[in-house]
Amino acid sequence: MIELALSHKLADLDIDIRFSSAARCLALFGDSGAGKTTILNAIAGLLRPRQARIVLDGQVLVDTEAGIDMPPAAREVGYVFQDGRLFPHLSARANLLYASQARQRKATQFERLVDLLELAPLLERRPQTLSGGERQRVAIGRALMSEPRILLLDEPLTGLHREARVQVLDHLRRLKQALRVATLLVSHQADEVIALADEVIRVHAGTMTAQLDMAQFQSQRD
Amino acid sequence: MFALSADEWQALALSLRVATLSVIVSMPFALALAWLLSRRRFPGRLLVEALMFLPLTLPPVVTGYALLVLFGRHGWIGEWLAQFGIVFAFRWTGAVLAAAVMGFPLLVLSIRAAFDNVDRRLERAAETLGASAWRRFVTIVLPLSTRGIIVGSVLAFARAFGEFGATITFVSSIPGETRTLPIAIYELMSLPAGDAGVQRLTVVALVVALGATVGAAILGGSLWGRRRDD
C-alpha cells in the first residue's frame, strides 16, 4: 500500500501529484519528461522535495510538514535505475551481495534470485563485459537482494534491443509470480505495463490524469 | 668505481625511508581533506585550499622556517608535544614532517581530482542499497579512485625524495639522522674532492625518480585500462 502526495519544482516542470494504491504492481505510465522518475527519486529519498508525504505500508518515509525524512539507506527500497548503475569495479556476484553486506544480513535470497534471473553464468563477470539485457538482470537481482519493501523499476527495458527486451520482460513476469514483492513500474511503453501491472496511473506534465485498472487501461488504448 | 660509500648509502636509505614514511603518514589526512574539498561545501573552504597550496607556492626555506617556529624545541606546538616525548627538531622525524608538508598539496590534488571523477550516481545507488556514508566511501569511492591515489602518492614521494630547502632549514644536516640525499649532494659539492660522489648520487637520484614514475605509470595504467573498457 502506497500513499503519495508530492509537490516539487524541476527546471522545466512543476510536479503536483497525489495518489494511493494497494496494487501489487502499480505502473506510472506517461511520456518521458512527465516527472515519473522524479516520483521514484522522491520515494527512494534521492531528492529533497519541496513538499511531500509518502507512506509505504503504514510507515512514513517522508513528511515535509511533520519534518520526517528517512535517509535513503534506511528506506529499504530496491531501485533499478534506468541507467543500471552497476558498480564497475565489482563482479556481478559482488554487485548482488552489496546490499546484504551493507545491511549485514544473510543473503538468503541469493540462490533463488540467481536461479530466477538465470545469473549463474554471469556471476564472476564485471559489468563492462555484460550485454545490456544481462546487465539489467543483474541490476534487478541486486535491487531484490536488498529484500526491499518496494521495488522501483525505472523504464527497465528502455535501451535494450528487441530480443533482450523480451527476455528481461519474461524474467520480470516470472519474478512477479514467484516473489510477490510490491512493485512500482515507470514506463512509457504500453505493452510493458500490460504485461506487468495490476493498476495504472497515467502521468502527464507532472500531474495524474487518471487511475485505471487493467481493463480500463486496455479499453482506453483500443 | 660506481660503488657508493657508506655515507652515501646512509643518505640514500634515509631519503627512501623519509619519503616513503612521509607519504604513508600524510595519506589519511590527504584522503580526508580531498573528500571534504570534493564533496562538501563549508565556510572557509577557500582559506583551507589556500593554506593547503602554501607549501607549493612558498619558497621552501620559508616553509622550513615556519615549521621551525611551530614545531621547533621552543615552537608553539613543538614545546607542547615535547612533554609527551614527541620531538621533531633535528630528528629524522622532523625530516619526515618537512617532506610530508611539501608533498601534501600534490597528494591532495590528485586524490581530489580522482574523487571528483567518481560517478555520484553510483554512490546514490549504494545508498539505496543500505550503505552508510563510510561504507560508500570505502567500497565505491576509494576503489574507483585507485589510480589517482597511486599517481598522487608517486608525485608526493618524488617531491619528498627531492626535498631540500624546508628540510635543511628545519632539521639541518645531521649524518644518519637528517642528511638526506639532496643535502648530501649539496654538501659534497662544496668539498674539493666531492665531484665523484656528486655524480654517483645524481645517478642514484635519477634512477629513483625514473623508477617511481615508470612504476606508477605501469601500475596506474593497467588499472586505468581495465576500468576504461566499457
Side-chain angles (χ1 to χ4, degrees), chain B residues 108-133:
Chain B
V108 175
L109 275 179
S110 296
I111 297 175
R112 184 207 166 156
F115 286 177
D116 283 346
N117 270 329
V118 173
D119 188 344
R120 304 290 290 272
R121 293 173 307 170
L122 294 175
E123 291 173 67
R124 300 239 176 77
E127 206 174 354
T128 66
L129 293 167
S132 62

Side-chain angles (χ1 to χ4, degrees), chain A residues 44 46 72-74 76-79 81 83 85-90 95 98-104 126 128 142-143 146, chain B residues 119-133 135-144 226-230:
Chain A
L46 298 183
E76 305 197 56
V77 154
Y79 199 154
F81 299 90
D83 50 1
R85 303 195 195 178
L86 292 177
F87 305 129
H89 58 301
L90 300 178
N95 268 283
Y98 192 87
S100 42
Q101 277 161 0
R103 295 215 163 97
Q104 296 179 334
R126 295 271 181 112
Q128 307 77 299
R142 183 179 71 173
S146 69
Chain B
D119 188 344
R120 304 290 290 272
R121 293 173 307 170
L122 294 175
E123 291 173 67
R124 300 239 176 77
E127 206 174 354
T128 66
L129 293 167
S132 62
R135 182 173 277 273
R136 296 197 294 276
F137 178 69
V138 173
T139 61
I140 309 292
V141 181
L142 271 189
L144 290 176
R226 219 185 301 149
R227 196 172 318 134
R228 286 284 132 177
D229 286 342
D230 54 339

Side-chain angles (χ1 to χ4, degrees), chain B residues 55-71:
Chain B
L56 217 57
T57 47
L58 274 176
V61 181
V62 176
T63 304
Y65 179 70
L67 285 172
L68 201 58
V69 170
L70 290 174
F71 292 97

Side-chain angles (χ1 to χ4, degrees), chain A residues 77-87 91-93 95-99 113 117 119 122 127 130-146 148 151-156 160 168 172 175, chain B residues 125 128-129:
Chain A
V77 154
Y79 199 154
V80 178
F81 299 90
Q82 193 177 348
D83 50 1
R85 303 195 195 178
L86 292 177
F87 305 129
S91 65
R93 179 195 297 278
N95 268 283
L96 289 166
L97 291 173
Y98 192 87
L113 283 168
L117 286 160
L119 298 174
L122 315 177
L130 300 176
S131 72
E134 290 170 336
R135 240 179 273 180
Q136 204 57 347
R137 269 152 56 203
V138 175
I140 294 165
R142 183 179 71 173
L144 284 169
M145 278 291 293
S146 69
L151 179 66
L152 307 177
L153 295 172
D154 190 4
E155 304 273 9
L160 300 182
V168 174
L172 282 172
L175 287 170
Chain B
T128 66
L129 293 167

Side-chain angles (χ1 to χ4, degrees), chain B:
Chain B
M1 193 211 118
F2 192 75
L4 296 180
S5 72
D7 277 359
E8 288 160 11
W9 271 117
Q10 196 182 49
L12 171 63
L14 179 68
S15 268
L16 289 173
R17 182 168 56 150
V18 164
T20 307
L21 277 173
S22 77
V23 175
I24 293 171
V25 167
S26 46
M27 185 59 82
F29 300 100
L31 288 171
L33 185 58
W35 186 83
L36 273 179
L37 293 174
S38 171
R39 298 300 150 93
R40 289 279 177 265
R41 301 281 167 270
F42 54 91
R45 196 185 128 93
L46 208 64
L47 184 69
V48 170
E49 259 178 304
L51 283 174
M52 183 200 80
F53 273 115
L54 273 184
L56 217 57
T57 47
L58 274 176
V61 181
V62 176
T63 304
Y65 179 70
L67 285 172
L68 201 58
V69 170
L70 290 174
F71 292 97
R73 267 185 223 288
H74 303 292
W76 299 345
I77 305 173
E79 198 160 16
W80 179 73
L81 282 176
Q83 300 170 35
F84 310 102
I86 302 169
V87 177
F88 288 109
F90 307 109
R91 297 275 174 85
W92 69 271
T93 47
V96 173
L97 179 63
V101 167
M102 296 304 287
F104 195 66
L106 297 171
L107 197 54
V108 175
L109 275 179
S110 296
I111 297 175
R112 184 207 166 156
F115 286 177
D116 283 346
N117 270 329
V118 173
D119 188 344
R120 304 290 290 272
R121 293 173 307 170
L122 294 175
E123 291 173 67
R124 300 239 176 77
E127 206 174 354
T128 66
L129 293 167
S132 62
W134 174 249
R135 182 173 277 273
R136 296 197 294 276
F137 178 69
V138 173
T139 61
I140 309 292
V141 181
L142 271 189
L144 290 176
S145 305
T146 316
R147 184 173 182 273
I149 295 171
I150 290 172
V151 170
S153 302
V154 172
L155 288 176
F157 174 87
R159 182 71 189 80
F161 188 78
E163 219 307 295
F164 177 78
T167 308
I168 201 164
T169 313
F170 181 35
V171 290
S172 179
S173 167
I174 304 164
E177 187 78 25
T178 66
R179 191 170 67 188
T180 57
L181 189 121
I183 296 175
I185 292 178
Y186 178 74
E187 287 185 351
L188 280 169
M189 279 170 66
S190 59
L191 294 179
D195 272 5
V198 169
Q199 282 159 15
R200 280 195 298 270
L201 288 182
T202 303
V203 171
V204 168
L206 207 68
V207 169
V208 171
L210 279 175
T213 324
V214 171
I218 292 169
L219 199 54
S222 65
L223 284 164
W224 185 246
R226 219 185 301 149
R227 196 172 318 134
R228 286 284 132 177
D229 286 342
D230 54 339

